[in-house]
Amino acid sequence: VVNMAIFDGQVDVLEDGQVLLDIERLWNRPGEERDVSQVFPNPGLNFNEFNLNITVEDGFRPNNEETFIDFRYEVDRVLLKQLTDRSTNGMLTIADHQNHLRTRILDSLIPSSPRHDMFFVFSEESMAVAANQYLFPVMLLGDMVDDFSSIELDVIEDFWTQFRLPEGFAPRSIRFPDTFDFVAFNQARQDWQDENVLIALNAFEQGKSIVKHGEEEEEPPTSSDAKIATA
């Protein structure tokens, strides 16, 4: 448990080098922040019948950190495909990512979904992931000076499958030093972060309602291309 906690950042390292365990977080299962990740699987899905019946000898034995690391860092290709299938004419937009976020949460909550996770956790860390991760690749990797809302599909695929930046990549501020609008960029980022939090909250409440009443309600609106700001 201690090794898992340290790996998951559940410790505080003081200035004098002393390491203290965060007792409150120690009892949270590792990987909580991945429950709304774009492309990483819910940690709770690992608590299936097969894994729960693994013998001690075949489970998390000493020096078996590869098992834990692989689980934490292996991209779920089904989730990635759900995202990339939203592309149009070889492009993915912020709105596509936001719709993926909403579906991601509903699929985790609704029992009839193949990706239902009975251990799903919607926490403050989940909110941080929703706010930032669902706009991060588009805003970081985009190469247009005045369009922060879209990106080529293959750039996203390479980013998540190969964990690499595009050939010749440079941030907009370097690529367009004289014309890049920092103010517009930061305003768009803040607006989309705020939208993502609302989308996630609405999806979570809708999912809980579906579970309670056994029927899907009308889908709440997400952001539209008309709402998305560009410089």
Side-chain angles (χ1 to χ4, degrees):
V1 175
V2 172
N3 286 336
M4 286 176 141
I6 293 173
F7 185 87
D8 199 41
Q10 295 173 321
V11 297
D12 291 321
V13 181
L14 305 184
E15 291 183 0
D16 62 3
Q18 184 181 8
V19 178
L20 301 179
L21 288 174
D22 185 333
I23 298 299
E24 183 178 350
R25 290 196 62 198
L26 179 61
W27 302 110
N28 288 336
R29 57 182 171 75
E32 180 181 325
E33 78 280 2
R34 293 281 170 87
D35 274 15
V36 294
S37 170
Q38 288 184 62
V39 294
F40 291 100
N42 291 14
L45 295 178
N46 232 27
F47 295 118
N48 53 45
E49 183 176 357
F50 174 79
N51 288 336
L52 290 176
N53 286 289
I54 291 178
T55 63
V56 174
E57 292 76 15
D58 294 330
F60 284 104
R61 55 193 180 278
N63 301 317
N64 188 29
E65 63 273 9
E66 290 84 2
T67 301
F68 186 61
I69 293 173
D70 288 346
F71 163 64
R72 290 274 287 165
Y73 289 94
E74 186 68 25
V75 168
D76 186 325
R77 295 306 179 100
V78 174
L79 283 176
L80 179 58
K81 188 174 188 302
Q82 287 179 351
L83 171 62
T84 56
D85 281 351
R86 296 182 180 277
S87 64
T88 302
N89 298 324
M91 301 293 291
L92 275 170
T93 66
I94 291 287
D96 292 330
H97 283 74
Q98 291 176 327
N99 288 325
H100 179 59
L101 166 62
R102 179 181 177 277
T103 301
R104 179 83 171 83
I105 294 174
L106 289 175
D107 283 349
S108 295
L109 289 170
I110 300 174
S112 60
S113 167
R115 306 193 69 80
H116 172 241
D117 176 11
M118 65 183 298
F119 299 102
F120 179 76
V121 173
F122 192 73
S123 65
E124 290 186 9
E125 289 182 336
S126 301
M127 296 298 296
V129 170
N132 295 291
Q133 193 185 100
Y134 283 77
L135 59 85
F136 165 72
V138 178
M139 299 203 76
L140 171 68
L141 303 176
D143 59 0
M144 300 292 290
V145 66
D146 57 357
D147 177 11
F148 314 137
S149 66
S150 62
I151 196 169
E152 293 86 353
L153 172 62
D154 58 353
V155 172
I156 294 294
E157 289 180 325
D158 288 347
F159 180 73
W160 287 120
T161 58
Q162 303 179 35
F163 295 98
R164 68 177 181 86
L165 299 174
E167 188 72 25
F169 169 79
R172 289 182 174 90
S173 58
I174 295 177
R175 188 184 295 268
F176 309 106
D178 299 324
T179 55
F180 177 63
D181 190 333
F182 290 94
V183 174
F185 180 86
N186 285 327
Q187 185 61 57
R189 174 189 54 77
Q190 186 62 61
D191 290 345
W192 289 326
Q193 284 180 326
D194 294 342
E195 283 186 19
N196 287 350
V197 170
L198 292 176
I199 290 168
L201 284 170
N202 288 337
F204 183 61
E205 292 302 320
Q206 185 188 11
K208 290 194 300 182
S209 179
I210 293 171
V211 172
K212 180 178 180 180
H213 300 293
E215 58 183 16
E216 187 163 0
E217 302 171 350
E218 182 178 355
E219 296 184 0
T222 58
S223 69
S224 63
D225 290 337
K227 287 182 62 180
I228 294 178
T230 56

